[in-house]
Amino acid sequence: MKRSFYMLLFFATITCKAQNISGLYSGTLINDSTKKVQNYELALSEYRDVITGYSYTTFIVNDTFYYSIKRVKAQKKDGQLIVEDVKMLANNFPASPAKGVRQVNTFPLNMQDTVTSLNGNWKTTKTKTYYALSGSANMQRDKDSLQSQLVQHLTELNIINNNTPAVASASSASHVPLSKATAAKVPTPENLPAAQRKINFLQAITVSSDSL
């Protein structure tokens, strides 16, 4: 069964209805407890009131660079934009993440037509094994998708391509099918370090994923 993803990375001019949040955002996540910082990118697409997208998180542990790419979903509710992890698509973690932990971002929305920033908070879902983590999220709309690491990874995974108008142009959207054949090319999530299974160490590195 094919999945359709309408990717609009950003607008040069506003052509859709008021406060359409489609676009590419980049910034940081900060852990409330440890003050550790992760780099974070978020690509959102709003089409007929349905919001879908992808996220890209990076962090360093013991001089080793880690990343994760996830599919996300979002909704506007009570004046807020709520973005939630759906599925891990790829990562370079060395140990198997535990299932059931998802990141949820909450961003207050203003009344302006153009959303230029998303500043709010994030938290992870609590399970029987893991405490919930929380922190702040500060994102700015990115005007240059060609420099985006998230866009580059999505291209490598055949989710989008370099000929996609949304990547090459600052003012257009594209309809990109995500089929089973494409999904089969996405690497299976590898494992997180064993030490990350401990709650205290999770707070130290603040891993954000649908499964830690």
Side-chain angles (χ1 to χ4, degrees):
M1 181 180 69
K2 292 185 177 181
R3 298 179 182 271
S4 296
F5 177 70
Y6 289 82
M7 170 77 71
L8 181 57
L9 294 181
F10 51 85
F11 287 144
T13 58
I14 300 300
T15 58
C16 296
K17 66 179 184 179
Q19 208 174 28
N20 187 302
I21 53 81
S22 297
L24 176 67
Y25 303 85
S26 61
T28 58
L29 306 177
I30 302 177
N31 184 290
D32 281 339
S33 300
T34 66
K35 308 305 178 184
K36 297 292 184 180
V37 178
Q38 297 181 46
N39 293 320
Y40 190 64
E41 284 190 55
L42 192 61
L44 296 176
S45 173
E46 182 174 8
Y47 182 76
R48 294 180 180 175
D49 297 324
V50 177
I51 305 173
T52 57
Y54 298 93
S55 69
Y56 176 64
T57 308
T58 65
F59 56 94
I60 296 176
V61 178
N62 297 329
D63 295 326
T64 301
F65 175 84
Y66 293 102
Y67 76 91
S68 65
I69 302 170
K70 293 170 285 185
R71 182 160 53 86
V72 302
K73 64 180 180 180
Q75 62 174 323
K76 296 176 182 176
K77 183 177 181 181
D78 299 329
Q80 296 180 318
L81 176 68
I82 302 172
V83 182
E84 182 176 354
D85 292 349
V86 173
K87 183 180 180 180
M88 177 79 76
L89 297 180
N91 63 59
N92 67 336
F93 299 157
S96 200
K99 295 182 179 181
V101 178
R102 298 183 306 279
Q103 179 177 313
V104 181
N105 306 320
T106 302
F107 302 106
L109 293 173
N110 54 39
M111 299 304 294
Q112 298 177 351
D113 290 346
T114 305
V115 178
T116 58
S117 62
L118 294 173
N119 300 311
N121 59 72
W122 62 270
K123 64 179 180 180
T124 59
T125 53
K126 182 180 179 181
T127 69
K128 294 181 179 179
T129 306
Y130 299 102
Y131 293 126
L133 306 177
S134 64
S136 61
N138 300 286
M139 314 288 293
Q140 297 292 323
R141 183 181 287 272
D142 196 332
K143 297 181 180 180
D144 188 2
S145 65
L146 296 179
Q147 300 300 316
S148 166
Q149 292 296 311
L150 172 57
V151 170
Q152 293 180 25
H153 279 287
L154 294 178
T155 302
E156 292 171 358
L157 296 174
N158 293 328
I159 294 174
I160 62 174
N161 59 69
N162 289 328
N163 295 321
T164 300
V167 176
S169 170
S171 61
S172 58
S174 64
H175 173 207
V176 183
L178 179 60
S179 65
K180 282 186 176 180
T182 300
K185 297 179 181 179
V186 177
T188 301
E190 298 173 7
N191 300 333
L192 280 169
Q196 293 180 24
R197 299 173 187 172
K198 298 180 181 179
I199 292 171
N200 289 339
F201 193 76
L202 275 171
Q203 292 191 3
I205 64 170
T206 64
V207 177
S208 56
S209 69
D210 58 347
S211 56
L212 298 180

